[in-house]
Amino acid sequence: MVPHLITALSGPINELEQRVLESMPAIERWFRLEWMEHTPPFYCSVDIRNAGFKLSPVDTNLFPGGWNHLTQEMLPLAVQAAMAAIEKICPEAKNLLIIPENDTRNTFYLSNIAQLQRIFHMAGLNVRVGSIDPDVKESTRIDIPGGDTLCLEPVVRSKYRLGLKDFDPCTILLNNDLSAGAPGILEDLHEQYLLPPLHAGWTVRRKSRHFQSYEEVAKRFGKMLGIDPWLINPMYSRCGELDLDQPQGLECLTTQVDGLLTRIRKKYKEYGINEKPFVVVKADNGSHGRGILTVRDVRDLAQLERKARGKPGVAGALQGRETIIQEGVLTNERMHEAVAEPVVYMMDRYVVGGFYRVHAERGVDENLSGPGAGYVPLAFAESTRLPQPGQKPGASAPNRFYMYGVIARVALLAASYELESTDPEAETYE
């Protein structure tokens, strides 16, 4: 199940793996102390890229779909983590309401909701699924892959609470990232826990703010391990709203892309890396994998302006959006000869599983999330908690997966910092 790592530059990652394994007690204590001060997001998934010379998260999702890609062997970990998370928030919880995205035609997405329902049912809760889509006016049974059915019910809003007919939940689990904005029906709830909170949605959240928090956490983590934090941290910069209709519309983007490519070249030279640097330009808030542009040379941006005139494709998706420019991280992992990247799933503070996102038609420097992607489960069920110190770096699947779990938890911690900084109810001091 471990993909073949095709890279001539595996030295730094093997050294990082060795350092992580040797420092395991210190790492686990560091996380333990951090979680005493900070609350982890309720659940989270992290996309990780292993370039052989660098291992970095490239995306952190606070409303993760894809739970249906976790195997049966992973479910006990997820159920245990769900129990721990619910016990901390609402020990007396009996009823839980899941609110999905409004797209009920995507039955593969609904398989993800059915898996979440299964996990929380096994954690000891009555679980039902309620839609905030105004078009859902009555209970509807939908056939989903695998022969199961999912019952989708219209939500009912009273003055202070949200529920279903004859179903009053203490906890509401959002699996809707609020890309279209936070609907009023979810606001001003009393004595009900909304998880994640509204400010975790893309109405408020920005990727650049997350990676600002991640950079802070990575510096402290790197200092503890005695490593250059760049080895686990993708550099980034950002631009305001992109207006490709104006002559000066590309000025900020061009300046930031040029500056970031220069910084990456400097790091590549420092480490003797003979790859061509690239950056990824994408919307600073959720875009569901659309409008992602890979840039290797600042001159390539001139094409973006020309394409924008007809607003097709990437240019149209980025037009009028705040943008983040992120250091591109190659993936040198393969699964069945196709390019792959690990995705790690967490609930509360615990790694509960994951999979490889695999795409046979995309390159090592391209986004793998999109049509044609496949999913191969990772062996986290037996490996995450049981690394094997003393083995040669790169030789052990559990050791490699443990390292992925550590980096994912650094991103999880960064997300907790991020949510604290954007909490509208948090006290602020001048």
PDB file of all heavy atoms in Angstrom, residues 235-258:
ATOM      1  N   MET A 235       5.984  28.600   1.518  1.00  0.00           N
ATOM      2  CA  MET A 235       5.947  30.062   1.561  1.00  0.00           C
ATOM      3  C   MET A 235       4.742  30.558   0.756  1.00  0.00           C
ATOM      4  O   MET A 235       4.243  29.852  -0.130  1.00  0.00           O
ATOM      5  CB  MET A 235       7.243  30.631   0.994  1.00  0.00           C
ATOM      6  CG  MET A 235       8.471  30.271   1.812  1.00  0.00           C
ATOM      7  SD  MET A 235       9.993  31.103   1.265  1.00  0.00           S
ATOM      8  CE  MET A 235      10.357  30.191  -0.234  1.00  0.00           C
ATOM      9  N   TYR A 236       4.295  31.753   1.074  1.00  0.00           N
ATOM     10  CA  TYR A 236       3.117  32.277   0.372  1.00  0.00           C
ATOM     11  C   TYR A 236       3.137  33.805   0.391  1.00  0.00           C
ATOM     12  O   TYR A 236       3.871  34.439   1.154  1.00  0.00           O
ATOM     13  CB  TYR A 236       1.819  31.785   1.046  1.00  0.00           C
ATOM     14  CG  TYR A 236       1.519  32.513   2.341  1.00  0.00           C
ATOM     15  CD1 TYR A 236       0.637  33.599   2.359  1.00  0.00           C
ATOM     16  CD2 TYR A 236       2.163  32.171   3.527  1.00  0.00           C
ATOM     17  CE1 TYR A 236       0.408  34.294   3.531  1.00  0.00           C
ATOM     18  CE2 TYR A 236       1.927  32.858   4.698  1.00  0.00           C
ATOM     19  CZ  TYR A 236       1.046  33.924   4.691  1.00  0.00           C
ATOM     20  OH  TYR A 236       0.823  34.636   5.842  1.00  0.00           O
ATOM     21  N   SER A 237       2.312  34.397  -0.440  1.00  0.00           N
ATOM     22  CA  SER A 237       2.006  35.821  -0.357  1.00  0.00           C
ATOM     23  C   SER A 237       0.564  35.964  -0.848  1.00  0.00           C
ATOM     24  O   SER A 237      -0.060  34.978  -1.256  1.00  0.00           O
ATOM     25  CB  SER A 237       2.978  36.660  -1.193  1.00  0.00           C
ATOM     26  OG  SER A 237       2.952  36.246  -2.537  1.00  0.00           O
ATOM     27  N   ARG A 238       0.045  37.152  -0.820  1.00  0.00           N
ATOM     28  CA  ARG A 238      -1.352  37.311  -1.213  1.00  0.00           C
ATOM     29  C   ARG A 238      -1.563  38.622  -1.948  1.00  0.00           C
ATOM     30  O   ARG A 238      -0.748  39.546  -1.856  1.00  0.00           O
ATOM     31  CB  ARG A 238      -2.279  37.236   0.001  1.00  0.00           C
ATOM     32  CG  ARG A 238      -2.085  38.324   1.037  1.00  0.00           C
ATOM     33  CD  ARG A 238      -3.058  38.185   2.206  1.00  0.00           C
ATOM     34  NE  ARG A 238      -4.434  38.301   1.810  1.00  0.00           N
ATOM     35  CZ  ARG A 238      -5.082  39.462   1.688  1.00  0.00           C
ATOM     36  NH1 ARG A 238      -4.449  40.612   1.925  1.00  0.00           N
ATOM     37  NH2 ARG A 238      -6.336  39.501   1.330  1.00  0.00           N
ATOM     38  N   CYS A 239      -2.651  38.678  -2.686  1.00  0.00           N
ATOM     39  CA  CYS A 239      -3.078  39.913  -3.355  1.00  0.00           C
ATOM     40  C   CYS A 239      -4.527  40.175  -2.979  1.00  0.00           C
ATOM     41  O   CYS A 239      -5.256  39.259  -2.601  1.00  0.00           O
ATOM     42  CB  CYS A 239      -2.990  39.768  -4.872  1.00  0.00           C
ATOM     43  SG  CYS A 239      -1.358  40.105  -5.523  1.00  0.00           S
ATOM     44  N   GLY A 240      -4.919  41.415  -3.119  1.00  0.00           N
ATOM     45  CA  GLY A 240      -6.327  41.749  -2.900  1.00  0.00           C
ATOM     46  C   GLY A 240      -7.157  41.249  -4.075  1.00  0.00           C
ATOM     47  O   GLY A 240      -6.747  40.357  -4.822  1.00  0.00           O
ATOM     48  N   GLU A 241      -8.300  41.846  -4.253  1.00  0.00           N
ATOM     49  CA  GLU A 241      -9.220  41.423  -5.307  1.00  0.00           C
ATOM     50  C   GLU A 241      -8.558  41.565  -6.676  1.00  0.00           C
ATOM     51  O   GLU A 241      -8.002  42.610  -7.003  1.00  0.00           O
ATOM     52  CB  GLU A 241     -10.478  42.284  -5.223  1.00  0.00           C
ATOM     53  CG  GLU A 241     -11.684  41.663  -5.861  1.00  0.00           C
ATOM     54  CD  GLU A 241     -12.939  42.453  -5.536  1.00  0.00           C
ATOM     55  OE1 GLU A 241     -13.461  42.305  -4.407  1.00  0.00           O
ATOM     56  OE2 GLU A 241     -13.362  43.236  -6.392  1.00  0.00           O
ATOM     57  N   LEU A 242      -8.628  40.526  -7.476  1.00  0.00           N
ATOM     58  CA  LEU A 242      -7.976  40.508  -8.777  1.00  0.00           C
ATOM     59  C   LEU A 242      -8.932  41.045  -9.835  1.00  0.00           C
ATOM     60  O   LEU A 242     -10.001  40.487 -10.060  1.00  0.00           O
ATOM     61  CB  LEU A 242      -7.571  39.067  -9.117  1.00  0.00           C
ATOM     62  CG  LEU A 242      -6.650  38.851 -10.307  1.00  0.00           C
ATOM     63  CD1 LEU A 242      -5.308  39.529 -10.082  1.00  0.00           C
ATOM     64  CD2 LEU A 242      -6.442  37.355 -10.540  1.00  0.00           C
ATOM     65  N   ASP A 243      -8.557  42.151 -10.467  1.00  0.00           N
ATOM     66  CA  ASP A 243      -9.391  42.760 -11.510  1.00  0.00           C
ATOM     67  C   ASP A 243      -8.641  42.686 -12.832  1.00  0.00           C
ATOM     68  O   ASP A 243      -7.804  43.542 -13.145  1.00  0.00           O
ATOM     69  CB  ASP A 243      -9.723  44.213 -11.158  1.00  0.00           C
ATOM     70  CG  ASP A 243     -10.726  44.824 -12.136  1.00  0.00           C
ATOM     71  OD1 ASP A 243     -11.077  44.133 -13.122  1.00  0.00           O
ATOM     72  OD2 ASP A 243     -11.141  45.971 -11.926  1.00  0.00           O
ATOM     73  N   LEU A 244      -8.946  41.688 -13.623  1.00  0.00           N
ATOM     74  CA  LEU A 244      -8.236  41.462 -14.886  1.00  0.00           C
ATOM     75  C   LEU A 244      -8.770  42.338 -16.008  1.00  0.00           C
ATOM     76  O   LEU A 244      -8.244  42.311 -17.122  1.00  0.00           O
ATOM     77  CB  LEU A 244      -8.332  39.983 -15.269  1.00  0.00           C
ATOM     78  CG  LEU A 244      -7.665  39.019 -14.283  1.00  0.00           C
ATOM     79  CD1 LEU A 244      -7.999  37.577 -14.626  1.00  0.00           C
ATOM     80  CD2 LEU A 244      -6.160  39.214 -14.266  1.00  0.00           C
ATOM     81  N   ASP A 245      -9.818  43.108 -15.720  1.00  0.00           N
ATOM     82  CA  ASP A 245     -10.351  44.017 -16.737  1.00  0.00           C
ATOM     83  C   ASP A 245      -9.591  45.335 -16.778  1.00  0.00           C
ATOM     84  O   ASP A 245      -9.735  46.115 -17.720  1.00  0.00           O
ATOM     85  CB  ASP A 245     -11.842  44.309 -16.462  1.00  0.00           C
ATOM     86  CG  ASP A 245     -12.704  43.072 -16.676  1.00  0.00           C
ATOM     87  OD1 ASP A 245     -12.319  42.242 -17.523  1.00  0.00           O
ATOM     88  OD2 ASP A 245     -13.734  42.934 -16.001  1.00  0.00           O
ATOM     89  N   GLN A 246      -8.812  45.605 -15.753  1.00  0.00           N
ATOM     90  CA  GLN A 246      -8.067  46.862 -15.678  1.00  0.00           C
ATOM     91  C   GLN A 246      -6.611  46.647 -16.101  1.00  0.00           C
ATOM     92  O   GLN A 246      -6.039  45.591 -15.826  1.00  0.00           O
ATOM     93  CB  GLN A 246      -8.101  47.409 -14.249  1.00  0.00           C
ATOM     94  CG  GLN A 246      -9.501  47.710 -13.718  1.00  0.00           C
ATOM     95  CD  GLN A 246     -10.223  48.756 -14.547  1.00  0.00           C
ATOM     96  OE1 GLN A 246      -9.611  49.738 -14.998  1.00  0.00           O
ATOM     97  NE2 GLN A 246     -11.517  48.534 -14.785  1.00  0.00           N
ATOM     98  N   PRO A 247      -5.999  47.656 -16.732  1.00  0.00           N
ATOM     99  CA  PRO A 247      -4.595  47.522 -17.162  1.00  0.00           C
ATOM    100  C   PRO A 247      -3.660  47.190 -16.011  1.00  0.00           C
ATOM    101  O   PRO A 247      -2.697  46.446 -16.173  1.00  0.00           O
ATOM    102  CB  PRO A 247      -4.274  48.899 -17.759  1.00  0.00           C
ATOM    103  CG  PRO A 247      -5.595  49.481 -18.133  1.00  0.00           C
ATOM    104  CD  PRO A 247      -6.575  48.946 -17.145  1.00  0.00           C
ATOM    105  N   GLN A 248      -3.950  47.749 -14.827  1.00  0.00           N
ATOM    106  CA  GLN A 248      -3.092  47.500 -13.672  1.00  0.00           C
ATOM    107  C   GLN A 248      -3.549  46.279 -12.872  1.00  0.00           C
ATOM    108  O   GLN A 248      -3.027  46.012 -11.791  1.00  0.00           O
ATOM    109  CB  GLN A 248      -3.041  48.729 -12.748  1.00  0.00           C
ATOM    110  CG  GLN A 248      -4.332  49.029 -12.004  1.00  0.00           C
ATOM    111  CD  GLN A 248      -5.329  49.840 -12.820  1.00  0.00           C
ATOM    112  OE1 GLN A 248      -5.257  49.865 -14.043  1.00  0.00           O
ATOM    113  NE2 GLN A 248      -6.260  50.494 -12.140  1.00  0.00           N
ATOM    114  N   GLY A 249      -4.504  45.537 -13.416  1.00  0.00           N
ATOM    115  CA  GLY A 249      -5.091  44.427 -12.670  1.00  0.00           C
ATOM    116  C   GLY A 249      -4.103  43.340 -12.289  1.00  0.00           C
ATOM    117  O   GLY A 249      -4.274  42.670 -11.275  1.00  0.00           O
ATOM    118  N   LEU A 250      -3.080  43.153 -13.116  1.00  0.00           N
ATOM    119  CA  LEU A 250      -2.111  42.095 -12.855  1.00  0.00           C
ATOM    120  C   LEU A 250      -0.885  42.574 -12.086  1.00  0.00           C
ATOM    121  O   LEU A 250       0.000  41.773 -11.794  1.00  0.00           O
ATOM    122  CB  LEU A 250      -1.645  41.474 -14.176  1.00  0.00           C
ATOM    123  CG  LEU A 250      -2.518  40.363 -14.779  1.00  0.00           C
ATOM    124  CD1 LEU A 250      -1.900  39.859 -16.063  1.00  0.00           C
ATOM    125  CD2 LEU A 250      -2.706  39.216 -13.808  1.00  0.00           C
ATOM    126  N   GLU A 251      -0.821  43.871 -11.775  1.00  0.00           N
ATOM    127  CA  GLU A 251       0.394  44.426 -11.171  1.00  0.00           C
ATOM    128  C   GLU A 251       0.745  43.747  -9.849  1.00  0.00           C
ATOM    129  O   GLU A 251       1.869  43.292  -9.642  1.00  0.00           O
ATOM    130  CB  GLU A 251       0.247  45.939 -10.962  1.00  0.00           C
ATOM    131  CG  GLU A 251       0.431  46.745 -12.228  1.00  0.00           C
ATOM    132  CD  GLU A 251       0.285  48.236 -11.984  1.00  0.00           C
ATOM    133  OE1 GLU A 251       0.304  48.648 -10.799  1.00  0.00           O
ATOM    134  OE2 GLU A 251       0.148  48.976 -12.959  1.00  0.00           O
ATOM    135  N   CYS A 252      -0.228  43.693  -8.944  1.00  0.00           N
ATOM    136  CA  CYS A 252       0.035  43.083  -7.634  1.00  0.00           C
ATOM    137  C   CYS A 252       0.420  41.614  -7.807  1.00  0.00           C
ATOM    138  O   CYS A 252       1.398  41.139  -7.223  1.00  0.00           O
ATOM    139  CB  CYS A 252      -1.193  43.210  -6.737  1.00  0.00           C
ATOM    140  SG  CYS A 252      -1.033  42.307  -5.176  1.00  0.00           S
ATOM    141  N   LEU A 253      -0.353  40.910  -8.652  1.00  0.00           N
ATOM    142  CA  LEU A 253      -0.104  39.484  -8.838  1.00  0.00           C
ATOM    143  C   LEU A 253       1.292  39.251  -9.424  1.00  0.00           C
ATOM    144  O   LEU A 253       2.047  38.386  -8.968  1.00  0.00           O
ATOM    145  CB  LEU A 253      -1.177  38.886  -9.752  1.00  0.00           C
ATOM    146  CG  LEU A 253      -1.230  37.364  -9.851  1.00  0.00           C
ATOM    147  CD1 LEU A 253      -1.450  36.726  -8.497  1.00  0.00           C
ATOM    148  CD2 LEU A 253      -2.321  36.929 -10.826  1.00  0.00           C
ATOM    149  N   THR A 254       1.646  40.043 -10.421  1.00  0.00           N
ATOM    150  CA  THR A 254       2.962  39.906 -11.052  1.00  0.00           C
ATOM    151  C   THR A 254       4.081  40.148 -10.047  1.00  0.00           C
ATOM    152  O   THR A 254       5.052  39.385  -9.972  1.00  0.00           O
ATOM    153  CB  THR A 254       3.086  40.897 -12.230  1.00  0.00           C
ATOM    154  OG1 THR A 254       2.045  40.635 -13.173  1.00  0.00           O
ATOM    155  CG2 THR A 254       4.429  40.756 -12.924  1.00  0.00           C
ATOM    156  N   THR A 255       3.934  41.197  -9.248  1.00  0.00           N
ATOM    157  CA  THR A 255       4.961  41.532  -8.252  1.00  0.00           C
ATOM    158  C   THR A 255       5.116  40.425  -7.222  1.00  0.00           C
ATOM    159  O   THR A 255       6.229  40.003  -6.878  1.00  0.00           O
ATOM    160  CB  THR A 255       4.597  42.855  -7.541  1.00  0.00           C
ATOM    161  OG1 THR A 255       4.490  43.885  -8.528  1.00  0.00           O
ATOM    162  CG2 THR A 255       5.652  43.246  -6.525  1.00  0.00           C
ATOM    163  N   GLN A 256       3.985  39.926  -6.734  1.00  0.00           N
ATOM    164  CA  GLN A 256       4.026  38.898  -5.690  1.00  0.00           C
ATOM    165  C   GLN A 256       4.548  37.569  -6.226  1.00  0.00           C
ATOM    166  O   GLN A 256       5.313  36.869  -5.549  1.00  0.00           O
ATOM    167  CB  GLN A 256       2.631  38.712  -5.076  1.00  0.00           C
ATOM    168  CG  GLN A 256       2.085  39.920  -4.342  1.00  0.00           C
ATOM    169  CD  GLN A 256       2.910  40.294  -3.123  1.00  0.00           C
ATOM    170  OE1 GLN A 256       3.617  39.475  -2.558  1.00  0.00           O
ATOM    171  NE2 GLN A 256       2.831  41.551  -2.718  1.00  0.00           N
ATOM    172  N   VAL A 257       4.142  37.190  -7.436  1.00  0.00           N
ATOM    173  CA  VAL A 257       4.618  35.943  -8.035  1.00  0.00           C
ATOM    174  C   VAL A 257       6.125  36.018  -8.260  1.00  0.00           C
ATOM    175  O   VAL A 257       6.872  35.079  -7.935  1.00  0.00           O
ATOM    176  CB  VAL A 257       3.882  35.662  -9.366  1.00  0.00           C
ATOM    177  CG1 VAL A 257       4.604  34.571 -10.163  1.00  0.00           C
ATOM    178  CG2 VAL A 257       2.442  35.235  -9.094  1.00  0.00           C
ATOM    179  N   ASP A 258       6.596  37.143  -8.793  1.00  0.00           N
ATOM    180  CA  ASP A 258       8.025  37.319  -9.059  1.00  0.00           C
ATOM    181  C   ASP A 258       8.826  37.235  -7.752  1.00  0.00           C
ATOM    182  O   ASP A 258       9.865  36.568  -7.679  1.00  0.00           O
ATOM    183  CB  ASP A 258       8.255  38.662  -9.754  1.00  0.00           C
ATOM    184  CG  ASP A 258       9.680  38.791 -10.286  1.00  0.00           C
ATOM    185  OD1 ASP A 258      10.227  37.785 -10.759  1.00  0.00           O
ATOM    186  OD2 ASP A 258      10.239  39.902 -10.207  1.00  0.00           O
TER     187      ASP A 258
END
